[in-house]
Amino acid sequence: MVRIATWNVNSINARLDRVLEWLEEAQPDVVGFQELKCVEEKFPFEAIESLGYNVAIHGQKSYNGVALLSKFPLEDLRRGLPENEGDPTDDHSRYIEAVIGAPTPFRFGCLYLPNGNPIGTEKFAYKLRWMARLYHHAADLLTLEEPLALCGDFNVIPEPEDADKPESWVDDALFQPESRAAWRAIKWLGFTDAQATVGAEPHGYTFWDYFRNAYERDHGIRIDHIMLSPQAADRLTACEVHRHVRGREKPSDHAPVVATLDL
């Protein structure tokens, strides 16, 4: 069994104690982190590698940034999406991918999709362009017919039941019809939403705002997803949200999502 995970850590250095605590507690084999908010020189490699992980990052100062952690070798590493639809001015660090050299090798992509707020601005247009590029890259990856996991903070609330109060999100980029349609288009390429398939407990949220006691009142949303190719979905046995991590001191506003694959 291989345990894969995704977690928006909301600043790796600010949350390092929480990150190390969770890694030692949960013992995931492969992890994708998002929103590192640091360049490679500032990443805490030594602390994480001491727990037995190989690490690759695609960093950015103060914003964005993604990382891969793996107890297996990292091969065929890619940083950033192909241009495809064309966005040559895009300098955001939002995607990293590698082949995980497990006994049954599989491909793992970690992404931090743009937030897109406010709607009606270039930020929302950028979100949709980025999703179009992800769609094309995901379609290309599926042609390889290999176990594949696309994991990360998608910044999309797929369905009304994925929010405690969906009416509060109708003017937000995360819940716009265009955002949700783009998410479904990626899913309908042939991906399985791991949590919705085997971990669909009520209130399976992954994000709670820091304001208005959202976590304590469970006013959450589900925006962190593990999407699996058919070859990986056939091996899916479990998926869970480690929501208790959000309730700890100085937490990220996201909780880790962990899936178990029979690899």
Side-chain angles (χ1 to χ4, degrees):
M1 296 293 181
V2 173
R3 285 159 56 82
I4 66 172
T6 179
W7 189 13
N8 179 322
V9 295
N10 190 11
S11 180
I12 186 68
N13 288 303
R15 318 289 174 201
L16 185 57
D17 288 347
R18 297 288 77 79
V19 167
L20 297 177
E21 179 182 56
W22 175 75
L23 287 172
E24 293 193 82
E25 169 190 284
Q27 291 293 315
D29 298 294
V30 184
V31 187
F33 285 157
Q34 304 91 46
E35 207 169 354
L36 304 179
K37 296 183 178 179
C38 73
V39 294
E40 186 163 351
E41 293 77 13
K42 299 293 185 180
F43 188 87
F45 283 100
E46 184 176 349
I48 292 175
E49 289 173 342
S50 70
L51 298 181
Y53 290 98
N54 299 298
V55 182
I57 88 160
H58 185 27
Q60 184 173 342
K61 184 178 179 180
S62 302
Y63 300 97
N64 308 319
V66 285
L68 290 182
L69 286 61
S70 174
K71 292 185 176 180
F72 307 104
L74 293 169
E75 305 164 359
D76 193 21
L77 188 65
R78 162 186 284 280
R79 292 178 174 89
L81 287 174
E83 286 192 12
N84 285 321
E85 291 290 298
D87 211 343
T89 62
D90 183 11
D91 59 357
H92 290 194
S93 299
R94 294 185 175 275
Y95 186 81
I96 190 168
E97 173 193 307
V99 171
I100 308 299
T104 300
F106 64 98
R107 192 174 296 271
F108 188 97
C110 168
L111 62 98
Y112 177 40
L113 208 145
N115 177 283
N117 280 304
I119 58 175
T121 69
E122 169 57 24
K123 290 184 177 181
F124 188 60
Y126 170 63
K127 179 189 186 84
L128 297 181
R129 289 198 306 272
W130 204 94
M131 295 186 80
R133 292 168 61 204
L134 178 63
Y135 173 93
H136 286 288
H137 185 54
D140 288 342
L141 292 180
L142 286 176
T143 65
L144 300 175
E145 297 187 352
E146 61 187 2
L148 162 68
L150 282 182
C151 308
D153 177 359
F154 279 74
N155 266 320
V156 175
I157 306 169
E159 302 293 342
E161 56 264 31
D162 293 315
D164 178 59
K165 293 185 177 297
E167 64 275 11
S168 300
W169 297 89
V170 293
D171 295 323
D172 195 284
L174 279 63
F175 199 51
Q176 291 307 295
E178 298 94 331
S179 307
R180 295 164 64 199
W183 187 89
R184 286 193 298 270
I186 294 169
K187 179 182 176 182
W188 289 343
L189 285 169
F191 286 95
T192 293
D193 178 351
Q195 187 186 348
T197 302
V198 297
E201 73 279 3
H203 306 279
Y205 308 133
T206 65
F207 170 92
W208 299 262
D209 205 305
Y210 288 126
F211 304 106
R212 297 179 292 277
N213 294 317
Y215 178 72
E216 290 76 10
R217 300 165 67 189
D218 203 23
H219 290 343
I221 54 177
R222 187 173 80 95
I223 57 175
D224 303 89
H225 308 296
I226 295 178
M227 308 295 283
L228 302 175
S229 70
Q231 295 80 8
D234 287 346
R235 300 167 182 266
L236 175 66
T237 63
C239 187
E240 59 188 0
V241 180
H242 289 191
R243 60 181 293 150
H244 63 281
V245 177
R246 174 63 177 84
R248 291 176 172 168
E249 184 180 359
K250 296 181 179 178
S252 168
D253 40 9
H254 295 249
V257 184
V258 183
T260 303
L261 304 179
D262 185 1
L263 288 167

